[in-house]
Amino acid sequence: KHADTAMYDAKAHGRNGCRYYNPELTAEAVHRVELEAGLRRALELDEFIVMYQPQVDARGGRIDAVEALVRWRRADGSLVPPLDFIPFAEECGLIAGIGARVLLRACHDAAAWMRRGLRLRVAVNLSPMQFRAPDLLERVCEALDRSGLPPGLLELEITEGALMEDDARTRATLAALRGLGIGIALDDFGTGYSSLSYLKRLPLGRLKIDRSFVAGLPDDADNLAIVRAILALARHLGFRITAEGVETAAQAALLAGLEADSLQGYLFSRPVVATEIESIAARGWTIGALDRVG
Ligand code: C2E
Ligand code: MG
Ligand code: MG
């Protein structure tokens, strides 16, 4: 059994290697089995909840969109953050079920806000596996039909990892989604496999500047150079820009001064439950554009 465990570890590290058994490997294997069983049960018991983080229009200072962010609420009331289970759910194939729930929930919530007079775009994260699934379009259309959400109020966030394979198919999928009127945002821009050539070829609508580049602004000269370059690139190619991880008024002012379209981060709000969005949306922010950015 131990030899077998070591063999799996060797395979997981790219095959054609040599690994020794150690007890941690057993512990890890047990953890994975438990996590998978837990996620299956969570799907049955409907334990996934969707929270929403506002995106603020950098010019008007009002919320014009929210990003849907999943959490796993366990029976004991604890909230498991997405990075603790999404990558694993992607590996074991459970992401399809979880992702479908999130998409439907987000469309329903945004449609409910719209019926009460609050038009907000809702952004939903798609993992690479969801993006490549043959039934993606069907799922998206189903969620729009069932919720009554207009396609123009849905945006799908994909990462650079989703764009790496099969260019013709990627392009066809993106074109079909755009053809329906759905927005596409490239999440965590600049942190993945950044082949700039796809920016020219693929029908994307928005780039999201990763929060690692926003951190340390306005003083971090390297990040400032990167953010300026991304904004110039986006402007030239006709993409909208959302900056993530905006935590301070100085960051917001700098980004507004550099003409980012929208801002997202703890400065405005942490992710909140759907029922809190209406009161947050009633507020406005004054984003004093920093003049020293020139
Ligand atoms: P993301 O799509 O880049 O989402 C932004 C993450 O940054 C969220 O973390 C959000 O809570 C966090 N964040 C927002 N503003 C700030 C800030 O000002 N400072 C800091 N330090 N962090 C901020 P969260 O909710 O833990 O989600 C992490 C990642 O998990 C997401 O990154 C996304 O990649 C993934 N994820 C979340 N929900 C889903 C989902 O439904 N499906 C898929 N496939 N992935 C999801
Ligand atoms: Mg995202
Ligand atoms: Mg991101």
Side-chain angles (χ1 to χ4, degrees):
K1 231 181 212 165
H2 290 171
D4 206 39
T5 305
M7 180 189 73
Y8 275 111
D9 191 47
K11 283 185 177 172
H13 285 83
R15 296 164 175 269
N16 194 26
C18 174
R19 309 297 276 202
Y20 286 100
Y21 172 80
N22 74 62
E24 272 167 34
L25 292 178
T26 300
E28 198 188 304
V30 169
H31 172 71
R32 293 170 71 87
V33 169
E34 282 172 359
L35 187 57
E36 184 170 346
L39 288 173
R40 283 187 195 284
R41 220 173 317 118
L43 270 171
E44 275 164 31
L45 301 176
D46 209 13
E47 288 182 338
F48 295 104
I49 62 162
V50 180
M51 296 184 81
Y52 297 93
Q53 187 176 35
Q55 293 177 1
V56 174
D57 168 34
R59 275 167 293 272
R62 306 295 297 229
I63 294 181
D64 60 1
V66 293
E67 177 174 6
L69 296 160
V70 70
R71 274 99 183 86
W72 173 12
R73 185 163 51 201
R74 308 198 69 150
D76 62 7
S78 59
L79 282 190
V80 186
L83 292 178
D84 288 1
F85 64 89
I86 292 280
F88 179 75
E90 167 107 341
E91 265 175 53
C92 67
L94 289 170
I95 190 67
I98 299 171
R101 298 265 172 108
V102 173
L103 178 65
L104 189 59
R105 181 78 259 151
C107 289
H108 269 299
D109 286 337
W113 293 319
M114 186 189 72
R115 282 193 286 269
R116 289 199 290 270
L118 180 62
R119 275 181 79 85
L120 293 179
R121 193 174 67 245
V122 68
V124 177
N125 292 284
L126 287 189
S127 72
M129 193 187 237
Q130 281 175 280
F131 181 71
R132 286 194 293 268
D135 64 351
L136 172 68
L137 275 154
E138 213 177 300
R139 295 255 185 188
V140 171
C141 290
E142 189 190 319
L144 292 173
D145 286 346
R146 284 176 61 181
S147 62
L149 186 73
L153 288 185
L154 177 63
E155 183 167 83
L156 298 174
E157 294 193 1
I158 55 177
T159 50
E160 291 164 310
L163 303 178
M164 281 172 65
E165 282 171 34
D166 198 357
D167 205 43
R169 204 173 129 203
T170 301
R171 216 174 321 158
T173 303
L174 291 172
L177 291 166
R178 291 298 298 267
L180 290 170
I182 294 164
I184 305 287
L186 192 56
D187 205 353
D188 307 337
F189 180 69
T191 60
Y193 147 93
S194 296
S195 156
L196 294 179
S197 69
Y198 64 56
L199 291 183
K200 226 171 49 178
R201 284 181 282 116
L202 299 176
L204 307 164
R206 177 184 305 274
L207 303 184
K208 293 190 79 178
I209 302 181
D210 188 68
R211 68 166 189 264
S212 58
F213 301 127
V214 172
L217 292 183
D219 304 323
D220 184 322
D222 294 341
N223 274 358
L224 183 58
I226 291 171
V227 166
R228 275 179 193 275
I230 295 175
L231 278 154
L233 187 72
R235 210 169 299 130
H236 182 81
L237 294 169
F239 299 133
R240 302 204 158 255
I241 282 276
T242 299
E244 299 187 281
V246 179
E247 295 184 351
T248 67
Q251 287 169 342
L254 175 81
L255 291 157
L258 291 171
E259 293 175 9
D261 299 278
S262 82
L263 310 174
Q264 178 180 350
Y266 295 166
L267 173 67
F268 306 102
S269 171
R270 292 192 174 244
V272 297
V273 292
T275 49
E276 283 181 45
I277 285 296
E278 282 170 300
S279 65
I280 297 177
R283 293 176 51 189
W285 286 267
T286 311
I287 301 160
L290 218 64
D291 39 7
R292 75 177 175 85
V293 292

